[in-house]
Amino acid sequence: MSKREFQTEVSQLLHLIVHSLYSHPEIFLRELISNSSDALDKLRHLTLTDDTIKALIGNGIDSPRIDLELNEEAKTLAISDTGIGMNEEDLVSHLGTIARSGTKNFLSQLSGDARKDSNLIGQFGVGFYSVFMVADKVEVISRKAGDDKTWKWTSDGKTGFDLEEVTGDAARKVAGTTVHIHFNDEGAQYANGWRLTEIVKKYSNHIAFPIFLTYDKSEWNADKKESIKTRTTEQINAASAMWQRPKSELKDEDYTELYKALTGGWDDPLFWFHTRAEGTLEYTTLFYIPAKAPLDLYQADYKTGVKLYVKRVFIMDDSKELLPPYLRFVRGIIDSEDLPLNVSREILQQNKVLTAIKTASVKKILSELKTIATNDPEKYAKFIAEYNRPLKEGLYGDYANRETLLDLIRFKSTKVEGLTSLADAKTRMQPEQKALYYITGGNESILRNSPLLEIYKKKGIEVLLLDDDIDEIVFSTVDKYDGVDLKAVNKGAASEDLKDDNEPAKSAEQAEALKPLLEKIKATLGDAVKEVRASTRLADSPSVIVSDEDEPSARMRHMMRAMGQKEMPEPQPTLEINPDHEIIKKLLADIANASDVLKNAKIEDAAWLLFDQALLLEGVPLKDPATFVQRLNRVLNQSI
């Protein structure tokens, strides 16, 4: 026997689970049964694809089942399966360390809210440790398929664990695992056959394998007029591939039970879509939308939530090929009749059958979401609150479904409270309006107060506010919606729509008069700007910066450099000035006396201040705040 210590994170994890989740200790049974089910799934797959394992059929592994054996007097429970089992190395890596990097995040995510924290158990794959909420000692006896050794792992969940080889009668005769639980005072309530049956039906009724409970069943003996205990073994779950049953036979409770078994959570899903396809391809899909976004939604190592089955045989649950990344929040099952049982991740990437299923599944999910958006706006609003941003990601790569995605995404607006769709914004277009307009960059407050919106407000034109940090990247690839141009007001081309066709002479005259000032400001700012020009988009502000259509904005360049793209060239935005603003008019008057050293310095200070304040309104930090303050103080001194 060898004595080993837990990895540091495991010790912390055990302490937090036991002390944070005490109000829902029954989840230990859900988690252990789920582990047994996964082990049976993996072995069943190997019996079909691995010749070495296939040769073991007939030695017990061809009867997959999960057994619960209760001893009420001793207050012990054994949970056994005939699954893939574990060897010495597996027991150490699975039960003594945290393998998945994202699991460590569990430690920082625990909130003290038992109901919320119990959902984390399933999300982060640390369910085995929940057994120590109800046990003061746990023994795991396991034999791996294809091995001839049995290993025993023992722990009290505090100090570490013992690991030893088991021989003789105590050794397992077939592959699989037995978890032997010695209940503590808290767990003694589960040393009850009726209680265990209720928990299994609640969480594990639709596990695909039969679950048997052996216990002392009390029955009334009419002749003796007393209750007699009989050792009984009963199957206590439905053990059906529920998703293969017709929708007409299923109730909402059936769907929510399976969802909780799949995700290890407590909450009901927001909605689900159950589809059976027949014809050229035969497959069944059951997709769930969680009510709350998964905690790892924006992590690079996010855990996928869709399981792949072939002819009801589990194949894998960690493939990112089953749905596109922007739908990574979807949970559920794909069960194909046409994929090969030995399909690998590498094969999945090029498999035409899976590609067809994936394409149809994406269209189905988006179509169902569109139906919900139309028929149940209140429920759809809950969906958008969690998943608006991932849908936007789809615009960047899923060109086939772009129009549908544009219908599904919602936007903040200068015209309406809350969120709006592009379809509704289109119905509010002014008769003379040439495009649907939007603004990106910065938070909502910065956008609402941007000088770029002034002329649109005066003309009663709606502008959509895109305040997600990915919006500028995503929407730079989208130029139309339902036949109408989509234009960013902080890009150069949008201002062309605002020119007054009835006053071309005035515009030309104004531009000519402003030319000396424009040239002076450009000479002062040098390479800091690409161009200085008169603006047709400003009403109350003196200046604003804009970018060309094919260039990222100044704010986007700043963000990209902050994320490590050091090779980003210095931004060269265009500075637009408002010919009708009093500051510009006074500067234009001073140009005539620019030979005066003081007036020339004043114009140069003003040029930089116009540029710097435009950057600040764009949400871009100044490179040299000290120089900005010095200029501001000089101008203030001259004006007082």
Side-chain angles (χ1 to χ4, degrees):
M1 180 187 294
S2 62
K3 182 77 176 177
R4 316 214 184 171
E5 292 185 356
F6 285 125
Q7 180 191 28
T8 303
E9 288 83 4
V10 174
S11 296
Q12 294 173 327
L13 190 62
L14 283 165
H15 178 81
L16 286 168
I17 288 177
V18 171
H19 291 85
S20 294
L21 303 181
Y22 59 88
S23 63
H24 292 290
E26 66 186 28
I27 66 169
F28 85 92
L29 188 56
R30 175 193 72 182
E31 295 303 324
L32 294 181
I33 287 175
S34 178
N35 290 346
S36 290
S37 176
D38 288 344
L40 288 165
D41 272 330
K42 289 170 184 174
L43 183 60
R44 185 164 65 170
H45 182 217
L46 289 176
T47 61
L48 297 166
T49 60
D50 187 309
D51 290 338
T52 303
I53 303 300
K54 197 181 297 183
L56 300 175
I57 293 177
N59 191 25
I61 68 170
D62 53 338
S63 303
R65 59 187 278 166
I66 299 169
D67 281 279
L68 312 183
E69 186 164 354
L70 174 65
N71 186 325
E72 290 190 34
E73 289 187 10
K75 292 185 171 47
T76 63
L77 174 66
I79 302 173
S80 300
D81 64 65
T82 53
I84 194 167
M86 292 177 280
N87 58 21
E88 180 183 17
E89 183 182 347
D90 294 334
L91 285 165
V92 173
S93 63
H94 295 336
L95 305 185
T97 62
I98 296 179
R100 180 171 175 257
S101 61
T103 304
K104 294 185 181 181
N105 293 336
F106 181 92
L107 299 172
S108 61
Q109 297 287 353
L110 285 173
S111 67
D113 179 333
R115 186 176 182 85
K116 182 193 294 185
D117 291 342
S118 64
N119 286 326
L120 297 177
I121 287 274
Q123 285 195 38
F124 284 94
V126 293
F128 169 78
Y129 303 117
S130 64
V131 71
F132 289 105
M133 293 187 294
V134 298
D136 52 24
K137 180 182 176 183
V138 176
E139 297 162 309
V140 180
I141 301 166
S142 193
R143 174 179 172 179
K144 190 166 187 174
D147 286 4
D148 57 5
K149 290 184 178 180
T150 298
W151 293 91
K152 181 179 178 182
W153 180 100
T154 307
S155 177
D156 60 3
K158 298 172 184 174
T159 57
F161 60 93
D162 296 322
L163 193 60
E164 62 181 313
E165 185 182 349
V166 179
T167 58
D169 293 339
R172 286 187 62 103
K173 302 301 183 288
V174 297
T177 299
T178 298
V179 179
H180 197 77
I181 302 166
H182 298 260
F183 287 119
N184 57 23
D185 291 340
E186 173 70 23
Q189 61 183 305
Y190 301 108
N192 178 283
W194 175 85
R195 186 75 185 275
L196 293 175
T197 301
E198 289 301 302
I199 295 172
V200 168
K201 289 186 180 299
K202 180 177 181 181
Y203 295 115
S204 308
N205 200 36
H206 292 292
I207 291 289
F209 303 100
I211 301 172
F212 293 91
L213 173 63
T214 299
Y215 68 112
D216 293 327
K217 187 175 183 179
S218 296
E219 294 182 339
W220 181 254
N221 187 305
D223 294 332
K224 295 184 177 181
K225 296 183 180 179
E226 63 180 2
S227 180
I228 297 176
K229 287 188 176 182
T230 306
R231 197 67 175 164
T232 305
T233 299
E234 298 175 344
Q235 183 174 334
I236 55 175
N237 73 323
S240 64
M242 191 208 82
W243 58 90
Q244 290 290 349
R245 292 166 57 191
K247 287 188 282 187
S248 58
E249 294 180 6
L250 299 171
K251 300 177 182 178
D252 287 356
E253 291 80 3
D254 295 318
Y255 286 108
T256 56
E257 276 181 22
L258 180 60
Y259 172 74
K260 291 171 184 176
L262 287 172
T263 62
W266 290 85
D267 297 332
D268 291 346
L270 193 56
F271 29 74
W272 56 84
F273 320 126
H274 190 182
T275 303
R276 183 173 182 82
E278 296 177 329
T280 308
L281 288 178
E282 291 190 21
Y283 62 89
T284 299
T285 59
L286 174 53
F287 295 125
Y288 293 94
I289 306 297
K292 292 294 180 183
L295 291 166
D296 60 354
L297 186 63
Y298 299 110
Q299 293 178 3
D301 66 341
Y302 68 88
K303 189 177 180 182
T304 57
V306 176
K307 294 177 180 285
L308 176 65
Y309 287 76
V310 174
K311 298 181 177 69
R312 287 154 298 288
V313 175
F314 171 78
I315 303 298
M316 63 184 73
D317 61 358
D318 57 353
S319 172
K320 296 183 179 180
E321 302 299 323
L322 302 180
L323 287 177
Y326 74 90
L327 292 178
R328 59 190 176 274
F329 54 85
V330 175
R331 301 293 182 251
I333 287 163
I334 294 174
D335 193 347
S336 168
E337 298 292 323
D338 302 292
L339 282 168
L341 283 166
N342 62 348
V343 67
S344 67
R345 288 176 184 78
E346 293 72 29
I347 294 173
L348 280 179
Q349 294 175 9
Q350 291 143 21
N351 187 278
K352 291 182 180 179
V353 171
L354 185 70
T355 299
I357 293 173
K358 178 178 177 180
T359 299
S361 295
V362 172
K363 287 188 177 298
K364 177 64 176 178
I365 291 169
L366 298 183
S367 172
E368 291 285 355
L369 289 174
K370 197 169 180 179
T371 300
I372 292 168
T374 302
N375 298 336
D376 194 344
E378 187 175 335
K379 182 171 280 190
Y380 189 72
K382 293 179 181 177
F383 167 79
I384 281 297
E386 301 293 327
Y387 305 113
N388 203 34
R389 176 174 164 150
L391 289 184
K392 290 178 182 178
E393 294 174 22
L395 294 175
Y396 197 73
D398 191 354
Y399 301 108
N401 294 297
R402 177 173 282 181
E403 283 297 316
T404 305
L405 286 166
L406 285 171
D407 277 327
L408 292 172
I409 292 165
R410 295 295 182 262
F411 304 85
K412 295 171 184 173
S413 165
T414 58
K415 276 282 187 181
V416 295
E417 292 290 328
L419 300 175
T420 188
S421 65
L422 283 175
D424 287 344
K426 184 181 176 184
T427 65
R428 293 190 292 268
M429 289 177 67
Q430 299 294 321
E432 72 282 1
Q433 192 172 329
K434 298 178 180 178
L436 283 167
Y437 299 101
Y438 64 88
I439 182 170
T440 62
N443 59 41
E444 182 181 354
S445 176
I446 289 175
L447 297 182
R448 287 195 183 278
N449 292 291
S450 172
L452 290 165
L453 301 185
E454 292 170 356
I455 194 66
Y456 295 92
K457 290 176 182 176
K458 282 200 170 185
K459 291 178 176 285
I461 296 175
E462 181 173 10
V463 179
L464 302 173
L465 310 172
L466 277 60
D467 59 349
D468 271 335
D469 51 15
I470 65 165
D471 283 335
E472 183 170 348
I473 296 173
V474 169
F475 282 89
S476 65
T477 66
V478 183
D479 56 6
K480 283 186 182 294
Y481 167 72
D482 196 22
V484 178
D485 288 341
L486 277 171
K487 292 186 178 181
V489 303
N490 45 344
K491 298 290 184 179
S495 64
E496 297 297 315
D497 296 349
L498 304 177
K499 288 183 178 178
D500 192 337
D501 296 334
N502 298 321
E503 297 183 348
K506 179 183 175 183
S507 298
E509 182 181 331
Q510 196 175 54
E512 186 62 30
L514 205 60
K515 188 174 181 181
L517 179 59
L518 298 177
E519 291 175 348
K520 176 62 178 175
I521 295 175
K522 176 65 174 98
T524 301
L525 300 180
D527 291 339
V529 294
K530 183 176 182 179
E531 180 186 357
V532 182
R533 66 188 179 208
S535 180
T536 58
R537 68 182 99 214
L538 292 173
D540 301 316
S541 298
S543 63
V544 71
I545 58 169
V546 296
S547 304
D548 288 346
E549 290 299 312
D550 57 349
E551 290 183 341
S553 68
R555 177 179 171 79
M556 179 54 62
R557 288 174 186 265
H558 171 73
M559 284 177 53
M560 292 169 80
R561 281 200 302 274
M563 290 188 292
Q565 297 195 29
K566 305 298 183 185
E567 302 302 316
M568 283 295 295
E570 283 298 311
Q572 266 200 315
T574 294
L575 178 67
E576 292 191 357
I577 60 174
N578 180 0
D580 297 320
H581 198 278
E582 281 302 308
I583 291 176
I584 304 303
K585 289 179 180 178
K586 288 179 180 178
L587 287 174
L588 188 58
D590 284 343
I591 282 289
N593 302 312
S595 56
D596 183 315
V597 174
L598 290 177
K599 290 211 172 197
N600 190 54
K602 176 183 172 184
I603 294 171
E604 289 179 356
D605 277 344
W608 279 108
L609 289 174
L610 287 170
F611 178 62
D612 286 344
Q613 74 168 7
L615 284 173
L616 288 171
L617 287 170
E618 181 80 2
V620 179
L622 300 181
K623 281 179 159 186
D624 190 356
T627 302
F628 170 74
V629 171
Q630 290 170 6
R631 290 193 188 105
L632 187 60
N633 287 338
R634 283 197 297 269
V635 171
L636 282 172
N637 186 49
Q638 293 164 5
S639 65
I640 294 174

